[in-house]
Amino acid sequence: MNRYLTLAETLGSRIEQGLYETGQRLPSVRELSSEHGVSLTTVQQAYRWLEMAGLAEARPRSGWYVPPARKLPELPRMGKPNLRPTDVSDWGQVQDLLDLERDSETVQLGRGMPDVESPSLRPLQTALAREGRHAGIASLHYNDIQGVLALRDQLCRLAVDAGYEITPDALIVTTGCQEALSCAIRALCSPGDIVAIASPSYHGMMQILKEAGVQVFEIPSDPVHGISLEALEVALDRWPVKAIQVIPNASNPLGYTMPEHNRIGLIRLAQRFDIPIIEDDIYGDLVYGWPRPHALKALDEDGRVLLCSSFSKTLAPGLRVGWIAPGRYFDKVLRMKYTSSGPTAPLPQIAVAEFLQKGHYPVHLRRMRRQYQRQRDVMTEWVRRYFPEETRISQPQGGFTLWIELPEAFDTHALDSMLRANGIVIAHGNIFSATGKYRNCMRLSHASVFNSRTEWAVQKIGETIGEILSSKRESKTCLNASRCLLPTVSP
Amino acid sequence: MNRYLTLAETLGSRIEQGLYETGQRLPSVRELSSEHGVSLTTVQQAYRWLEMAGLAEARPRSGWYVPPARKLPELPRMGKPNLRPTDVSDWGQVQDLLDLERDSETVQLGRGMPDVESPSLRPLQTALAREGRHAGIASLHYNDIQGVLALRDQLCRLAVDAGYEITPDALIVTTGCQEALSCAIRALCSPGDIVAIASPSYHGMMQILKEAGVQVFEIPSDPVHGISLEALEVALDRWPVKAIQVIPNASNPLGYTMPEHNRIGLIRLAQRFDIPIIEDDIYGDLVYGWPRPHALKALDEDGRVLLCSSFSKTLAPGLRVGWIAPGRYFDKVLRMKYTSSGPTAPLPQIAVAEFLQKGHYPVHLRRMRRQYQRQRDVMTEWVRRYFPEETRISQPQGGFTLWIELPEAFDTHALDSMLRANGIVIAHGNIFSATGKYRNCMRLSHASVFNSRTEWAVQKIGETIGEILSSKRESKTCLNASRCLLPTVSP
């Protein structure tokens, strides 16, 4: 990371922890320069970064000060409940999002891609290279369908941090979290079955449900507590739901981490109706607070939680290394895994196991969590600055995506097309719903280290939204006006 | 490869091509030693190898001679036709086969694993290491769902050798052939649908059909022509078959390469009943003859053939790089691929593309085809020598597995358990059927370079079979004898 970012981190943390009071003068550029042994320019860059994140404000000819506590932007509203299960709508729009932008000038804010250029990933590259060079029987052959044992050993250690205990023989390594989720659904459901899912939710999950021929009952979720237990209870009471699917930690796309009380309520409901829960914990290790929150599986008493995760968000998606702890559904899930793609490639598993075993993982996570949290603040600030006033913004507790809600009539799908012409990609809201809800919402990723084009892109998005909104208002006025001019015909 | 094997190759080819006549004296050890610049011991080793393969015989104090033309062993018989579609039986036995033998002393003749220790794979390891070391955005990120373009370009070149033309945008890279087959089945079939499949066939395919909830109509296949077109026609005529699945080249496990006439007949049938064909061409590049036979897809006129393949048998299964050319079913298959495991890992794709692009692939194939063919001859010879006389053996046209048929009442599943206690693994026949047929058959792999333990293992298998058979005969005799001794009770 650049020196100024490191300094901004340090200062930012101090300000956030309340070491300076509102209105208090912050250390001068000269003081910080000599304290940290960095140039004056570096300190000035750090302060400008803190200003962007709303943690410092400049007063001309006086210096930098702690600004008054920010009024946080309003949170997105909870979606409307569905009355019945529905089929998942088509995937053409998801495909658009997945299409690679080969133009390096494109600002990609649409996809949930982590920053894979962090120097803290270098030991992983070393491990990949070493394993590639020696590629022997172990990495070129078919391996255990359950995955490389050395990796499963390490996954058991990570499980402890996530609050549950597991042994290597109860884990199955998968080809990314996508395969874990897909195997879970196909192990539990037949075509025509119903799955209750927190809404909005990960678009890839929607498509898994669609291709499995499963119907979806979208349960509204609020950006603080997650899935509405009241709405869920009504659904379970009335419909033969086969499974519940949730993302309890740093949920995609809303960013909430479910409070303990709600987790207990969710588990109780699942027990009462005897329904399995598919937990997607892919962002669990990227929750900003330390220690990381427990997985829902930590509360699982009878093996009904199938925990799915991967290193796609924490390390790199191209590794395609995920896993599933399928509880009492182990046998069926293992069969699904075998028929889905055979054993997962051993080489990246061996490299990841080495990366974990040598202790590089926590170091990397610490760095990425800080980067993502700081950039969340900065991007939030940009959205406040450049987007229309009525914009609502999520306050994610982890991960690297913001969920943004615009006025109700707005269509982010149309916005997306206009932005692509300008080399900007966003994720429009309706792909996060099985039924095309959230057309007035969008998800913005803040993973990659920001550069000058990032702020330009957010500003451009805001301006384009403003233009669309004002042209709508005008056309409305116009329409009303023209109506007034029409000759009145007597009935 | 050892020097003696190289020499044995050369001499063996000359003998097979008829450069020496039956009964003719072959060059002396001394002559060959000076001709090829190798030691006398090397030449003697080469001759012993040729003797094992039945291509040379020693006459005491005289030298080596071309033996009389061998009477080929009888081929396995065609299986009995089914009367109706059936569910696939359970997979526990497949799981046994897939369980890794961690004991390096185990002689693994059960799994269809290629030899991954050939020096001709070294450039691939180099490419893997280079790509791992530099692992940048391209190899760590999500990639195109269709796969890395550089690899798809190379696959289009391979398609030309297989007799069909394709463009990169009509190909989808998959996580092994298993994922290709799985996506094909799920794209074409819903639970309860019927698939007609050449029998015996690949056990992984059976399990894919089972987990997809699909019923199987097993069509008997003979070890020369492949799937019985007569039986297939009857099945298509009577049942609403949704897809036909075949392995036309170096078929697993029977080893046949379907004659052109039968291929045309198969395509005509599929056209007449308007049914898609799922072609598994995974062994196509390992057919011993040169040039390789065309894929069935070469005869496809209307996009009804979904060609599935991978580098798992030609290079290394641990790469998990396969592909599918799904013809007119492209869109549906792509959706299945996305929901199955997301995009396939880019790193091994990039390495394989480099290996192909630099021309290493044909060199490697040439070497492996020779090794597999030579070892087929040697293992056939061992089976003739050590197995009971009534044993029938396939004459595979490619690949690295032999299909062996024992007397009808024999149970190779029981044999397998006995052999495992001796550190030998075979594939028992019934896993190659949806309904547990072929209990008296087994598949033996001859991929890895033979060592002293290989011949010992084949001999041990033969002896164990002999013991079981003779104990059966005894117990029968005994039973008859004891019956005779029973006091006769008047009715």
Side-chain angles (χ1 to χ4, degrees):
Chain A
M1 213 184 304
N2 293 325
R3 297 163 74 86
Y4 79 91
L5 281 177
T6 313
L7 179 58
E9 291 294 357
T10 314
L11 269 178
S13 305
R14 288 186 195 167
I15 298 166
E16 285 184 327
Q17 284 162 24
L19 293 187
Y20 306 98
E21 285 173 27
T22 301
Q24 190 178 341
R25 188 172 181 276
L26 290 162
S28 74
V29 172
R30 199 163 296 278
E31 279 165 8
L32 286 172
S33 161
S34 89
E35 183 189 340
H36 294 274
V38 295
S39 73
L40 296 177
T41 320
T42 301
V43 180
Q44 277 155 345
Q45 281 179 305
Y47 265 131
R48 272 198 292 276
W49 180 261
L50 288 170
E51 188 180 27
M52 281 199 297
L55 289 168
E57 65 179 14
R59 294 192 194 159
R61 296 171 200 234
S62 167
W64 294 90
Y65 289 81
V66 180
R70 291 186 299 167
K71 190 177 154 272
L72 286 169
E74 279 202 89
L75 288 168
R77 279 167 293 210
M78 189 146 91
K80 297 192 185 77
N82 285 5
L83 293 177
R84 60 184 63 81
T86 48
D87 290 329
V88 180
S89 52
D90 210 34
W91 93 307
Q93 296 175 4
V94 176
Q95 201 173 7
D96 284 350
L97 178 62
L98 299 179
D99 270 352
L100 277 191
E101 295 298 330
R102 287 174 217 288
D103 176 5
S104 61
E105 286 297 289
T106 299
V107 185
Q108 174 57 268
L109 304 175
R111 296 189 68 181
M113 300 203 288
D115 181 6
V116 294
E117 297 184 84
S118 168
S120 52
L121 275 184
R122 267 182 216 139
L124 179 65
Q125 288 161 292
T126 309
L128 283 168
R130 185 180 314 118
E131 195 46 39
R133 199 163 45 244
H134 299 147
I137 297 288
S139 60
L140 290 180
H141 250 319
Y142 290 113
N143 209 293
D144 199 316
I145 323 178
Q146 277 189 250
V148 169
L149 186 61
L151 177 63
R152 283 184 284 138
D153 280 339
Q154 293 299 322
L155 292 176
C156 292
R157 290 166 188 238
L158 293 189
V160 175
D161 298 339
Y164 66 100
E165 273 181 43
I166 198 159
T167 52
D169 58 320
L171 280 169
I172 303 169
V173 175
T174 56
T175 306
C177 192
Q178 186 83 342
E179 185 172 60
L181 293 167
S182 178
C183 289
I185 284 295
R186 286 189 292 122
L188 298 176
C189 302
S190 302
D193 284 349
I194 302 167
V195 170
I197 183 168
S199 174
S201 195
Y202 167 50
H203 50 77
M205 188 67 209
M206 299 295 160
Q207 300 308 315
I208 289 172
L209 295 167
K210 179 178 174 59
E211 298 312 335
V214 166
Q215 288 212 309
V216 172
F217 207 126
E218 297 188 283
I219 311 293
S221 306
D222 84 42
V224 174
H225 304 91
I227 191 165
S228 159
L229 296 179
E230 295 72 28
L232 178 63
E233 188 170 1
V234 171
L236 298 186
D237 217 21
R238 296 201 189 163
W239 299 88
V241 169
K242 275 292 177 65
I244 303 165
Q245 206 271 314
V246 286
I247 311 177
N249 293 319
S251 190
N252 175 16
L254 277 176
Y256 57 79
T257 288
M258 279 178 73
E260 184 74 2
H261 178 75
N262 292 56
R263 290 168 190 248
I264 293 170
L266 176 58
I267 288 278
R268 292 273 150 77
L269 269 182
Q271 286 174 339
R272 204 175 98 208
F273 289 91
D274 195 17
I275 295 175
I277 301 176
I278 300 172
E279 172 180 25
D280 177 352
D281 190 46
I282 197 167
Y283 289 98
D285 281 342
L286 290 178
V287 171
Y288 306 139
W290 188 90
R292 60 151 285 172
H294 281 180
L296 190 65
K297 192 162 183 71
L299 296 173
D300 186 20
E301 290 163 353
D302 45 10
R304 73 174 61 248
V305 175
L306 300 91
L307 177 140
C308 303
S309 193
S310 87
F311 293 106
S312 295
K313 307 301 179 188
T314 48
L315 297 179
L319 297 167
R320 307 312 296 134
V321 177
W323 66 94
I324 181 166
R328 60 161 98 147
Y329 307 97
F330 181 89
D331 288 341
K332 184 80 176 154
V333 169
L334 186 64
R335 291 213 292 276
M336 288 299 170
K337 161 59 184 153
Y338 169 61
T339 56
S340 162
S341 70
T344 290
L347 194 153
Q349 292 185 62
I350 296 169
V352 170
E354 181 183 318
F355 185 83
L356 292 166
Q357 190 266 323
K358 290 196 172 162
H360 299 299
Y361 188 61
V363 178
H364 173 69
L365 280 184
R366 205 152 53 231
R367 182 191 180 97
M368 301 322 292
R369 281 193 300 249
R370 265 201 238 140
Q371 174 177 327
Y372 297 150
Q373 181 173 15
R374 193 61 66 218
Q375 298 201 152
R376 173 200 67 175
D377 293 342
V378 173
M379 190 171 269
T380 303
E381 198 53 34
W382 285 339
V383 171
R384 284 159 64 106
R385 192 177 305 166
Y386 300 121
F387 279 41
E389 214 180 333
E390 55 267 54
T391 304
R392 290 164 172 261
I393 317 173
S394 64
Q395 288 159 23
Q397 301 305 299
F400 41 71
T401 55
L402 274 185
W403 182 252
I404 293 165
E405 185 186 322
L406 297 168
E408 207 154 333
F410 200 87
D411 180 359
T412 52
H413 189 205
L415 171 70
D416 181 46
S417 313
M418 293 172 71
L419 292 171
R420 283 194 185 224
N422 286 293
I424 301 168
V425 181
I426 60 166
H428 45 87
N430 54 324
I431 60 173
F432 298 89
S433 161
T435 48
K437 294 179 183 180
Y438 315 115
R439 289 198 83 86
N440 60 326
C441 299
M442 74 176 94
R443 194 190 69 177
L444 293 187
S445 168
H446 52 83
S448 306
V449 172
F450 290 167
N451 58 33
S452 61
R453 285 183 58 80
T454 322
E455 181 171 4
W456 165 83
V458 179
Q459 183 170 2
K460 184 81 198 166
I461 301 170
E463 286 171 3
T464 313
I465 294 169
E467 284 162 21
I468 295 174
L469 284 175
S470 62
S471 78
K472 271 192 182 171
R473 279 187 210 111
E474 271 168 32
S475 68
K476 239 183 210 167
T477 323
C478 219
L479 196 65
N480 292 342
S482 60
R483 272 207 194 122
C484 295
L485 293 177
L486 284 175
T488 39
V489 183
S490 48
Chain B
M1 214 184 303
N2 294 326
R3 297 163 75 84
Y4 80 89
L5 281 177
T6 313
L7 179 58
E9 290 295 357
T10 314
L11 269 178
S13 305
R14 288 186 194 165
I15 297 167
E16 285 184 327
Q17 284 162 24
L19 294 188
Y20 306 98
E21 285 172 25
T22 302
Q24 189 179 342
R25 190 169 179 280
L26 290 162
S28 74
V29 172
R30 201 164 295 278
E31 280 165 7
L32 286 171
S33 162
S34 90
E35 182 189 340
H36 293 276
V38 295
S39 73
L40 296 177
T41 320
T42 301
V43 180
Q44 275 154 348
Q45 281 179 305
Y47 265 130
R48 272 198 292 276
W49 181 262
L50 288 170
E51 187 180 27
M52 281 200 298
L55 290 169
E57 65 180 12
R59 294 193 194 159
R61 297 174 199 229
S62 167
W64 294 89
Y65 288 81
V66 179
R70 291 185 299 167
K71 187 174 154 273
L72 286 169
E74 280 203 89
L75 288 168
R77 279 167 292 211
M78 189 147 92
K80 299 193 183 75
N82 284 5
L83 292 178
R84 59 183 63 81
T86 48
D87 289 329
V88 179
S89 53
D90 211 32
W91 92 306
Q93 297 175 2
V94 176
Q95 202 173 6
D96 285 349
L97 178 63
L98 299 179
D99 271 352
L100 277 192
E101 296 298 330
R102 286 174 217 291
D103 176 4
S104 61
E105 286 298 288
T106 298
V107 185
Q108 173 58 267
L109 304 175
R111 296 189 69 182
M113 301 202 289
D115 181 6
V116 294
E117 296 184 84
S118 167
S120 53
L121 275 183
R122 269 183 215 138
L124 180 65
Q125 289 162 294
T126 309
L128 283 168
R130 184 181 314 120
E131 196 46 40
R133 199 162 47 242
H134 300 148
I137 297 288
S139 60
L140 290 180
H141 250 319
Y142 291 112
N143 209 293
D144 199 317
I145 323 177
Q146 277 188 250
V148 169
L149 186 60
L151 177 62
R152 283 184 284 138
D153 280 339
Q154 293 298 322
L155 292 177
C156 292
R157 290 165 190 238
L158 294 188
V160 175
D161 298 338
Y164 65 100
E165 274 180 43
I166 198 159
T167 52
D169 57 320
L171 280 168
I172 303 169
V173 175
T174 57
T175 307
C177 191
Q178 186 83 341
E179 185 172 62
L181 293 167
S182 178
C183 289
I185 284 295
R186 287 190 291 122
L188 299 177
C189 302
S190 302
D193 283 350
I194 302 168
V195 171
I197 184 169
S199 175
S201 195
Y202 167 51
H203 51 75
M205 188 67 210
M206 299 296 161
Q207 300 308 314
I208 289 172
L209 294 168
K210 179 178 174 60
E211 298 312 335
V214 166
Q215 289 213 308
V216 172
F217 207 126
E218 297 188 282
I219 311 293
S221 306
D222 82 43
V224 174
H225 305 92
I227 191 165
S228 158
L229 295 180
E230 297 71 26
L232 178 63
E233 188 171 1
V234 171
L236 298 186
D237 217 21
R238 295 199 191 165
W239 298 89
V241 169
K242 275 294 176 65
I244 302 165
Q245 207 270 312
V246 286
I247 312 178
N249 293 320
S251 191
N252 175 15
L254 276 177
Y256 58 78
T257 288
M258 280 178 72
E260 184 74 2
H261 178 75
N262 293 56
R263 291 168 191 248
I264 294 169
L266 176 58
I267 289 278
R268 292 273 151 79
L269 270 181
Q271 286 173 339
R272 204 175 99 207
F273 289 92
D274 194 16
I275 296 175
I277 300 176
I278 300 172
E279 172 179 26
D280 178 351
D281 190 46
I282 198 167
Y283 290 97
D285 280 342
L286 290 177
V287 171
Y288 307 139
W290 187 89
R292 60 151 285 172
H294 282 180
L296 190 65
K297 194 166 180 69
L299 297 173
D300 186 20
E301 290 164 354
D302 45 11
R304 72 175 62 247
V305 175
L306 300 91
L307 178 139
C308 302
S309 193
S310 86
F311 293 106
S312 295
K313 307 301 177 186
T314 47
L315 297 179
L319 297 167
R320 309 310 297 133
V321 176
W323 67 93
I324 181 167
R328 61 162 97 147
Y329 306 97
F330 181 89
D331 288 340
K332 184 80 175 156
V333 169
L334 187 64
R335 291 213 293 276
M336 288 300 170
K337 162 58 184 153
Y338 169 61
T339 56
S340 162
S341 69
T344 291
L347 194 152
Q349 292 185 63
I350 296 169
V352 171
E354 182 183 317
F355 186 83
L356 291 166
Q357 190 265 322
K358 290 195 173 162
H360 299 298
Y361 188 62
V363 178
H364 173 70
L365 280 184
R366 206 153 50 231
R367 182 190 180 96
M368 301 322 291
R369 281 194 300 250
R370 265 202 238 140
Q371 174 177 328
Y372 297 150
Q373 182 174 14
R374 193 63 65 219
Q375 298 202 151
R376 173 200 66 174
D377 293 342
V378 173
M379 191 171 268
T380 302
E381 198 53 34
W382 286 339
V383 172
R384 284 160 64 107
R385 191 176 306 166
Y386 299 121
F387 279 41
E389 215 181 333
E390 55 267 55
T391 305
R392 290 164 171 262
I393 317 173
S394 64
Q395 289 159 21
Q397 302 305 299
F400 42 72
T401 55
L402 274 186
W403 182 252
I404 293 166
E405 185 186 320
L406 298 167
E408 206 155 333
F410 199 88
D411 181 357
T412 52
H413 189 207
L415 171 71
D416 181 47
S417 313
M418 293 171 72
L419 292 171
R420 283 193 185 227
N422 286 295
I424 301 168
V425 181
I426 61 165
H428 45 87
N430 55 324
I431 61 173
F432 297 90
S433 161
T435 47
K437 294 179 185 181
Y438 315 113
R439 289 196 83 85
N440 60 325
C441 299
M442 74 174 94
R443 195 190 67 178
L444 293 187
S445 169
H446 52 83
S448 306
V449 172
F450 290 166
N451 57 34
S452 61
R453 285 184 58 78
T454 321
E455 182 171 4
W456 165 83
V458 178
Q459 183 171 2
K460 184 80 199 164
I461 301 170
E463 286 171 5
T464 313
I465 295 169
E467 284 161 22
I468 295 174
L469 285 175
S470 62
S471 78
K472 270 192 181 168
R473 278 186 210 111
E474 270 169 34
S475 69
K476 241 185 208 164
T477 322
C478 218
L479 196 65
N480 290 343
S482 60
R483 271 206 195 123
C484 295
L485 293 179
L486 283 174
T488 39
V489 183
S490 49

